[in-house]
Amino acid sequence: MKTKRHRKWGRFLAFLAIIAVVIGLTAGTSMKVWKHIPLGLDLQGGFELLYQIQASPDKPLTPDGVKAAVQAIELRVNNLGTGSPNIELEGSDQVRVQLAGTFNQAEAERVIGQTADLRMYGNATQDKTGKWVPDEKTLLATGADLKPNSRWAQDPTTGQNVVTLEFKDAKKWQDITTKYLQKPIYVFLNGQLLTAPTIQSVMSNGQSEIYGPTLNTPEACNELAKELNAGALPYPLKLISSTNVGPSLGFASLKATMWAGAAAILLIFLFMLVLYRAAGLIANVALVAYLYLVLLTFAGMHVVLTLPGLAALVLGVGMAVDANIITYERIKDEMRNGKSLQSSVIAGNKRALRTIIDSNATTFIAGAVMYWFGQGDIRGFAVALMISIVVSMLTAVLLSRAMLLLFTKSGVAARPWWYGAGKGVVQS
Amino acid sequence: MKARFDIVARRRWFFLLSGAITVLGLAAFLLFGFNLGADFRAGSRVQMQLNEPVDVQKVRDMFDKIGLSVPQGGVTVAGTRNDMAVVRFPEVLTQDQIAKINQAEKQTFPKSAGADVRTVNPIVAQQTSRKAVWAVLLASLFIVVYVSIRFEYRFAISGIVALLHDAFIVMSVFALLRLEVDLTFVAAILTIVGYSINDTIVIFDRIRENLRIAKPRSFSDLERLVDKSLWQTMSRSINTVVTVLIAAVTLYFFGGQTIHNFNLALIVGLVSGAYSSIFIASPLWVAWRGRQMRRSAPEKHPA
């Protein structure tokens, strides 16, 4: 007959193997995974701009129009050439632009926010102050009629700096040049008269060029060309909120929070070891797996890690630990009720599971509502919280349970002491 | 049974204690109101991590030099080592002005780690605060629905009372200490709501289980049963809150400055959450459930 002392070393080896795999995988690849997680502005510095897309009475917002506006902003941001910009539509009419790193922020804001509003009119008059005012009724074409291939060029005959344009609809330009042959057309840029060339010939290939006193350098031409290519924004944008974080401040915050997080996790490890001994060790291994999986999920889903997100992650450790504490306390209860170690572990695991599911589901609901209603940092926090809950269900429940059962069934440590139970526990 | 503190029998004391705190909190709101952060109040907020004790006059002079007038009382000193200055402007700063601030800061305070500048216009501020309130209310509503399905409505309502109690205490502390309330504060409140209900549910779950094993026939049976459930889950309640507190306290003292208030809110909320789960939620449920029991029971079980 088998005795209680009988030890199954195979199971114990399997148990050790799980520990080795978890620790090995984490130690080996976590740095690589970490590098794939995009850091939020508060952690690496940068700036965030929140724009409102403004509708006007004659131009109400349409889903297609909003999409076009977001695309136009994307093009412009890409033209800035900064690393990993993040642009998202929030609500129905707000666009959040996040740019990380160091660069000329004022310049970036100007480029993103300002519309290269190019308009051509058939008629314009000078007011008393000498300012040219277009005759709105004679609007011929806008930047929206152009193909996104404008560029700087030099006129072969005059050597003048010009911006080449190509109309999407060649016929439209042909009609305009036919109608205004030998007459001037008025080109306005952002409400300022740029140039008023006289049409010399009918253009049938849709190509044209513009020049003017402010387009006297290749740089100025290039910039206008870029803005035109970025597409005329269908709607004007209004900057409604902005956040600027200095890069060194972000780095200091990241470092401080990382160290604090590491210290907190170490303290939790110690706490669990002291309280639950071998079972605590299992909980700690499950915690390592938890942290690793959360980081992996962050990297895989491209979740932007912000300071509150980092805090949620460390808090998630607390929640993951809670699942283990619930289980272990339950096992102790079962032992107190006189069950054997093995059946206590099995019953404790089973009974704790329902509690864990109910309590985690309610917290998950809170996270989901936060994501639904939140914006910016809150959303990052909510995502981090929800991921932590799901991952902790996998590690603190499934992994930890498998390890605990293997460990118990191996019979290597049969004394309740190893499970954090005191002397008063009845042993059968 | 070993002699131990009978929580349920003394519930009136805890209700009284929480009631007193609530009244104090209300008074704090009425007297001080919230110190709304840039996320909720239109204007600009410049937070500078100076890494040296803040000299308010020097900060003012710096802004004067670049042509920005700091309003009366516009500079607040913050940070664990009083090394952070927060300056508020009623107007929305332009990107050019922000660039100037960054430059001036580097010259005036060489040890500085840089600034965090936030600007918000009134529409967004209003929108954000409305969203925050809705988020808390909606989260509570969904939790009530879930708990009502899994348990019963009395548990749900008692649990919600306890979590609103916790959220309220954290808000009172912030109003009393004049701490800034911003978007991360809302995240903290929502986490506390999540933690508080999580903690409460674990205890409720044990009560539910014990109810299935032993059907209480009288009110005192019910009281005993809940008290037993509370003590059965006590070591779990304490151990869990200690682990989460370890994280929150370490982050409070050593984490990044921008999550300083966030962590303080968490610490207050975690302690309150653990307290209310044990001393408010379950006793409240007993009182409510017991009242109905006393109403329907007498004929069947004369005393």
Side-chain angles (χ1 to χ4, degrees), chain A residues 106 109 240-244 246 248-249 256-257 276 307 322 329-330 333 354-355 358 363 370 373 378 381, chain B residues 95 113 115-119 121 138 146 150 183 190-191 198 205-206 209 212 235-236 239-240 254 256 258:
Chain A
E109 196 228 313
I240 48 177
S241 131
S242 73
T243 306
N244 292 262
S248 40
L249 176 63
T257 309
Y276 301 108
L307 266 184
D322 182 41
E329 288 298 328
R330 205 64 222 224
D333 281 352
R354 197 180 54 178
T355 316
D358 271 341
T363 311
M370 258 189 265
F373 268 86
I378 299 260
F381 177 80
Chain B
Q95 295 294 325
D116 175 330
V117 184
R118 282 162 205 270
T119 70
N121 90 343
L138 261 172
Y146 180 81
R150 295 284 295 156
L183 267 184
L190 286 163
T191 316
N198 188 303
D205 183 70
R206 185 59 72 99
E209 190 183 314
R212 253 176 230 159
S235 48
R236 173 265 157 192
N239 291 349
T240 294
F254 307 110
T258 30

Side-chain angles (χ1 to χ4, degrees), chain A residues 286 289-290 293 297 360 387-401:
Chain A
Y290 158 83
L293 280 180
T297 316
N360 281 359
I387 291 176
S388 327
I389 292 171
V390 173
V391 174
S392 84
M393 289 294 282
L394 290 177
T395 58
V397 178
L398 283 183
L399 178 68
S400 197
R401 171 194 285 221

